């Protein structure tokens, strides 16, 4: 018998909706708290910059039980993704469970000695405390914008200059007729730089630290990148965790062929994107940096750098001086609008420090089994922290895993000792064998999304986990197939 719980889902973005659906469909009483006034997380219109679109094709950026509309383009725009999420919430009655404009200020163990957590909540109606049997943290990795305070910024603003985080650039009219300087090397930075040019900015400059490999939507202009970077065959070129002597031998034998594969891809990218002409050839080998921070190449970005419509400067902002920004290399750039595309802070600020110390090591690596649960933080789990190229699918599978973990219904229910041992194995792998896996607090499963999914399905107890051999080896993950896999697991409902 599985007892019904009062469950709090923190966040109403992609992962929060997945968690809410997973818990409510099993019969738990669910409350979703969302600090903003709308659902969608990074896809909330107020947080989206103009022309934002997914990096993943629509058949990968979806839940297992709902495809995106056939009318959507392969890479949907922000308003389309938001509409999809809103419809998903309505389909499952999740919209009725959301408390908007409600922030979690702090959470602590319940004072009545019962399992679960007491949450301090703040909303326009006032502050309250509420007890929950289980909490799913679904705030993701793009929750709190990074800040950058530099000398001279107040004088810059006093002369009419504006400084915005990329999440605040939600109107293309902000750039029209302005001298725009974008700080950052992510896809959001290049997207905004291109948008500023297209919106009529008088001058556009991108300031970035080092060039990184960017993948075009179509490699060589012909092959959809999902057919290269999203397939199991490519994933198997990387040594993963927990492999035996035979697998290591196979990797050693294949090493020259794998090396040639990556050098060929680099050569193609240099030619296609005109990286030498743009003086943006990365120093790092492409295979050494494959993780969740590898951005898609914004269409038109490299052509605009090549013909001078976007000026690219290596370095960072050092300080503001009058109506100019001075770079770390001493170069001075006149500016009306500075856009900080510098990412977000990773963390769980409402956890007391003592609990955060159990969750995060000193070097920033998260202690999470399967990137979902920590044995020293009972009655709590994390959905959407297992970031990958397939963000929605990752969140969906993590949510299905978490509800069974919370209910003691995993086919392979881990003991606390087993969880700790696995966490140590994974931390050692990220620190020693593949440092690139340590980005974003070690919460990125790319390029190992297939292996991650295999582990989750095995834990859940699905009797079906693979498609045909060729499809499994040479085609991207299929959300409909994962729906079938999940349906093959033992079913259950909680008792009220």
């Amino acid at each position: 018998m599985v007892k019904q719980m009062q469950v709090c889902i923190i966040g109403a973005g992609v992962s929060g909706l997945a968690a809410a659906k997973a818990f409510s469909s099993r019969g738990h009483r669910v409350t979703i708290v969302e600090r903003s006034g709308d659902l969608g997380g990074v896809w909330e219109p107020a947080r989206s910059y103009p022309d934002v679109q997914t990096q993943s094709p629509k058949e990968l950026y979806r839940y297992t039980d709902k495809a995106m509309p056939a009318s959507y383009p392969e890479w949907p725009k922000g308003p389309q993704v938001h509409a999809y999420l809103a419809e998903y919430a309505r389909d499952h009655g999740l919209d009725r469970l959301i408390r908007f404009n409600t922030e979690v200020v702090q959470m602590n163990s319940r004072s009545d000695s019962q399992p679960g957590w007491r949450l301090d909540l703040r909303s326009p109606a006032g502050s309250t405390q509420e007890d929950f049997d289980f909490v799913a943290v679904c705030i993701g990795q793009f929750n709190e914008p990074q800040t950058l305070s530099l000398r001279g910024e107040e004088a810059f603003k006093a002369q009419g200059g504006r400084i915005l985080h990329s999440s605040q650039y939600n109107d293309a009219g902000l750039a029209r007729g302005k001298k725009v300087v974008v700080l950052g090397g992510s896809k959001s930075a290049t997207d905004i730089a291109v948008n500023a040019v297209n919106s009529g900015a008088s001058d556009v400059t991108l300031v970035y630290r080092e060039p990184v490999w960017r993948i075009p939507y179509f490699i060589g202009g012909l092959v959809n990148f999902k057919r290269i970077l999203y397939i199991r065959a490519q994933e198997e070129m990387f040594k993963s965790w927990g492999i035996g002597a035979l697998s290591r031998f196979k990797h050693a034998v294949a090493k020259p062929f794998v090396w040639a594969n990556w050098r060929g891809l680099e050569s193609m990218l240099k030619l296609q994107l005109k990286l030498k002409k743009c003086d943006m050839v990365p120093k790092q080998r492409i295979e050494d940096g494959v993780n969740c921070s590898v951005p898609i190449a914004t269409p038109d970005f490299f052509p605009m750098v090549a013909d001078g419509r976007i000026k690219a400067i290596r370095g960072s902002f050092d300080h503001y001086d009058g109506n100019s920004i001075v770079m770390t290399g001493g170069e001075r750039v006149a500016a009306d609008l500075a856009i900080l595309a510098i990412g977000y802070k990773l963390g769980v600020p409402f956890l007391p420090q003592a609990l955060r110390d159990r969750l995060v090591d000193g070097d920033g690596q998260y202690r999470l089994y399967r990137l979902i649960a920590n044995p020293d933080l009972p009655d709590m789990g994390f959905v959407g922290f297992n970031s990958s190229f397939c963000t929605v699918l990752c969140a969906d599978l993590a949510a299905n895993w978490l509800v069974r973990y919370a209910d003691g219904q995993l086919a392979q229910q881990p003991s606390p000792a087993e969880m700790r041992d696995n966490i140590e194995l994974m931390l050692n792998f990220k620190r020693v064998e593949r440092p690139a896996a340590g980005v974003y607090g070690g919460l990125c499963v790319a390029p190992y999304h297939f292996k991650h999914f295999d582990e989750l399905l095995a834990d859940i107890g699905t009797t079906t986990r693979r498609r045909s051999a060729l499809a499994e080896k040479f085609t991207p993950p299929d959300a409909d197939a994962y729906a079938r896999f999940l349906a093959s697991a033992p079913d259950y409902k909680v008792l009220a």
Side-chain angles (χ1 to χ4, degrees):
M1 183 179 72
V2 181
K3 184 180 178 181
Q4 185 184 62
M5 294 187 294
Q6 183 72 41
V7 178
C8 181
I9 310 293
I10 304 177
V14 164
S15 54
L17 297 179
K21 189 263 180 177
F23 277 91
S24 61
S25 65
R26 294 291 170 195
H28 293 294
R29 300 189 306 275
V30 171
T31 299
I32 308 170
V33 294
E34 168 56 53
R35 69 177 185 177
S36 73
D38 197 355
L39 57 76
V42 295
W43 299 107
E44 180 188 351
R47 293 181 58 188
S48 298
Y49 56 83
D51 294 331
V52 64
Q53 65 184 45
T54 64
Q55 296 201 74
S56 302
K58 68 178 181 181
E59 68 268 25
L60 293 173
Y61 207 85
R62 52 159 287 197
Y63 296 108
T64 55
D65 58 344
K66 185 178 180 63
M68 283 195 171
S71 60
Y72 278 18
E74 185 160 19
W75 290 278
K77 296 286 189 179
Q80 293 171 316
V81 178
H82 182 261
Y84 167 78
L85 296 174
E87 186 173 330
Y88 186 82
R90 290 192 297 271
D91 288 349
H92 297 290
L94 308 178
D95 52 336
R96 300 191 298 270
L97 308 178
I98 305 174
R99 297 186 199 170
F100 290 115
N101 301 306
T102 302
E103 182 179 7
V104 179
V105 179
Q106 192 168 19
M107 58 184 292
N108 292 283
S109 299
R110 287 169 61 162
S111 58
D112 56 8
S113 300
Q114 294 297 310
W117 300 89
R118 173 159 292 180
L119 270 60
D120 293 341
L121 303 174
R122 183 167 57 212
S123 72
S127 298
T128 60
Q129 287 187 329
E130 294 187 41
D131 291 341
F132 293 92
D133 303 308
F134 194 89
V135 174
V137 179
C138 307
I139 59 176
Q141 299 181 20
F142 305 101
N143 183 47
E144 190 70 32
Q146 286 278 12
T147 57
L148 179 66
S149 296
L150 297 174
R151 175 166 50 91
E153 65 179 46
E154 291 306 318
F156 174 77
K157 293 177 183 177
Q159 294 189 30
R162 297 189 67 181
I163 304 172
L164 302 176
H165 186 269
S166 55
S167 61
Q168 298 171 305
Y169 179 74
N170 49 32
D171 178 3
L174 292 170
R176 191 170 300 120
K178 304 294 185 182
K179 297 181 180 68
V180 178
V181 183
V182 183
L183 176 63
S186 64
K187 182 176 181 291
S188 61
T190 57
D191 281 354
I192 290 171
V194 169
N195 177 267
V197 172
N198 292 333
S199 299
S202 62
D203 190 70
V204 178
T205 302
L206 179 83
V207 182
Y208 66 101
R209 292 190 181 278
E210 291 290 338
V212 297
W213 291 106
R214 300 175 191 272
I215 307 298
Y217 286 113
F218 290 91
I219 296 175
L222 297 172
V223 182
N224 191 314
F225 81 101
K226 70 183 179 183
R227 303 196 179 280
I228 296 180
L229 295 185
Y230 280 105
I231 62 175
R232 194 183 285 267
Q234 189 82 315
E235 177 177 323
E236 289 172 348
M237 292 186 186
F238 297 91
K239 282 193 293 187
S240 64
W241 57 91
I243 61 175
L246 180 59
S247 292
R248 291 184 179 276
F249 174 75
K250 289 179 179 178
H251 276 284
V253 171
K255 189 173 182 179
F257 304 99
V258 173
W259 180 90
N261 167 77
W262 294 117
R263 301 293 78 73
L265 179 57
E266 286 180 354
S267 296
M268 188 176 295
L269 294 177
K270 289 176 186 177
L271 181 65
Q272 179 180 348
L273 301 177
K274 298 181 175 62
L275 297 183
K276 290 185 178 179
K277 183 176 182 180
C278 296
D279 190 27
M280 299 185 81
V281 178
K283 297 177 182 177
Q284 185 183 45
R285 301 189 312 172
I286 190 169
E287 67 268 34
D288 293 338
V290 173
N291 53 47
C292 295
S293 64
V294 174
I296 293 297
T298 303
D300 295 330
F301 171 71
F302 287 105
M304 287 182 176
V305 173
D307 65 20
R309 284 177 288 172
I310 295 175
K311 182 180 180 182
I313 298 175
R314 294 191 196 185
S316 186
F317 290 6
D318 184 78
H319 66 277
Y320 297 88
D321 185 10
N323 59 0
S324 298
I325 305 173
V326 180
M327 306 303 154
T328 49
E331 189 163 358
R332 179 185 297 269
V333 178
D336 302 308
L337 174 62
I339 301 174
L340 309 180
I342 56 176
Y344 294 79
K345 300 174 185 175
L346 181 61
V348 187
F350 44 80
L351 274 180
Q353 188 61 52
L355 299 183
R356 276 185 267 171
D357 291 342
R358 299 181 194 176
L359 178 64
V360 187
D361 278 352
D363 63 353
Q365 297 293 295
Y366 275 66
R367 303 184 62 81
L368 286 175
Y369 180 77
R370 302 290 193 246
L371 301 183
I372 303 173
N374 180 301
D376 299 314
L377 296 174
D379 310 308
M380 180 194 301
F382 299 78
V383 176
F385 278 50
N386 58 333
S387 179
S388 175
F389 298 144
C390 316
T391 304
V392 183
L393 187 56
C394 274
D396 197 331
L397 294 179
N400 278 277
W401 187 96
L402 181 60
V403 67
R404 290 174 181 269
Y405 169 79
D407 291 335
Q409 295 297 306
L410 288 173
Q412 299 178 16
Q413 189 80 17
S415 68
E418 289 170 333
M419 294 172 74
R420 294 187 187 100
D421 287 346
N422 183 266
I423 288 170
E424 292 302 330
L425 180 150
M426 294 301 298
L427 288 174
N428 181 72
F429 171 75
K430 294 165 187 174
R431 289 167 175 154
V432 177
E433 297 194 49
R434 182 150 180 84
V439 300
Y440 299 139
L443 297 175
C444 173
V445 302
Y448 306 103
H449 46 281
F450 277 107
K451 181 161 184 175
H452 179 60
F453 295 164
D454 291 346
E455 290 182 334
L456 297 184
L457 293 178
D459 291 347
I460 289 171
T462 63
T463 58
T464 308
R465 297 171 202 162
R466 296 287 183 97
R467 298 167 288 167
S468 67
L470 285 177
E472 194 65 33
K473 196 85 167 177
F474 298 108
T475 62
D478 183 290
D480 289 326
Y482 280 98
R484 296 193 298 272
F485 301 159
L486 289 171
S488 73
D491 195 18
Y492 73 96
K493 287 280 188 180
V494 304
L495 298 177

